[in-house]
Amino acid sequence: MPSVAYGRQLDAIFVLSMWNWFFKLGSPPHFYRIATRLEPWLMGGALVLLVIGAYGGLAMAPPDYLQGDGFRIIYVHVPSAFLSMFAYSVMAVASAIGLIWRMKLAFCVAAASAPAGAAFTFLALCTGAIWGEPIWGTWWAWDPRLTAELVLLFLFLGYMLLRQAMPETRQADRASGILAVVGVVNLPIIHYSVEWWNSIHQGPSLMKLETPSIDGDMLWPLLVMIVAYQLLFIGILFTSIRTQILLRERNTRWISDLLS
Amino acid sequence: MAEIIHMGGYGSYVWSAFGLTFVVLLATVWLTKRSLQQTRNRLTRRLRSASATEASS
């Protein structure tokens, strides 16, 4: 059948062009150009969605029947907590790719996600404390989930300190990469902590298989905020990756062409 | 308006959580951008001085 053969050819072309695209994306000059072009769109989109989400969360969502208006902290707490884990996943996966395939750009991605990840973790802990005071009656408790999130902050800080302590980039990449990969065991601990142990932290209301246990009017601003945080994270990540690329490729021809 | 500020008695908690988030996110974006700019400037200077010594020798 000619049509089947034709279809297979198209498949092959598609796979090859995807592979080619992926391969080109892995080349630092190409990625640098793409990141430069996308960055304003990511930051702009994040800003618009942050305003919409914050307005929806603060003014349009109805008050909670138990917590009243106090629950509104969810709109900054949950996105920060979610992104803290997302940033760590990016850091760990990129580190693993870098360690296995010795890909330079992967280590750029890993090193770039640490500062933003630390900022999100810090925010998750602080907004959690501000929420805990009126609702639980305490800023902090040595609760499984809270403790695991604090460990996440130390993992990000440890990763950055380790990189700073090593003068040679290749050595820093390998050592910090191993730390990032080993520390990934902390992610399932954070996620399942509220199910495995008795926790004062409430159970999941979004990240579960059944339908979310949260009203639609309360839900949409939260989803908008999460998407806004994602865009913001990718925007920060791209800027930071460009710094990493500049530092690592400083002796190449394309960098001197770019800067002159 | 007063209702939005008061937040049913939770005003100080809700607004400080949002304020802190705003400040930290803004600082992260600013520091990241500044770091890129500083790196660019440093490498550009290095490049200029390298080509200057090349030209003079």
Side-chain angles (χ1 to χ4, degrees), chain A residues 67 69-70 130 133 229 251, chain B residues 7 10 13 21 36 39 46:
Chain A
Q67 301 185 9
D69 288 315
I130 295 172
E133 219 303 296
Y229 271 59
N251 294 322
Chain B
M7 283 285 167
Y10 292 108
Y13 297 108
T21 301
L36 174 66
T39 308
R46 200 185 66 137

Side-chain angles (χ1 to χ4, degrees), chain B residues 11-55:
Chain B
S12 53
Y13 297 108
V14 173
W15 287 109
S16 62
F18 272 75
L20 181 75
T21 301
F22 178 74
V23 168
V24 171
L25 290 184
L26 202 69
T28 310
V29 171
W30 185 69
L31 287 173
T32 313
K33 282 189 180 289
R34 196 186 65 160
S35 165
L36 174 66
Q37 202 51 50
Q38 282 175 341
T39 308
R40 272 191 81 119
N41 292 345
R42 207 173 60 233
L43 293 183
T44 310
R45 267 201 306 277
R46 200 185 66 137
L47 208 67
R48 284 218 189 101
S49 67
S51 59
T53 37
E54 220 169 81

Side-chain angles (χ1 to χ4, degrees), chain A residues 158-174:
Chain A
Y159 177 94
M160 291 192 284
L161 284 175
L162 190 59
R163 293 194 65 89
Q164 284 216 321
M166 298 202 161
E168 216 221 326
T169 311
R170 259 169 49 105
Q171 207 185 359
D173 280 340
R174 291 193 64 79

Side-chain angles (χ1 to χ4, degrees), chain A residues 76-138:
Chain A
V76 284
H77 176 69
V78 168
S80 292
F82 181 75
L83 261 291
S84 71
M85 293 171 73
F86 184 79
Y88 196 91
S89 314
V90 170
M91 190 172 95
V93 170
S95 295
I97 292 173
L99 288 171
I100 296 167
W101 287 293
R102 293 173 191 278
M103 195 175 151
K104 218 189 294 180
L105 187 64
F107 283 123
C108 291
V109 175
S113 50
F120 286 127
T121 313
F122 174 76
L123 278 178
L125 289 166
C126 289
T127 54
I130 295 172
W131 199 0
E133 219 303 296
I135 303 299
W136 296 337
T138 176

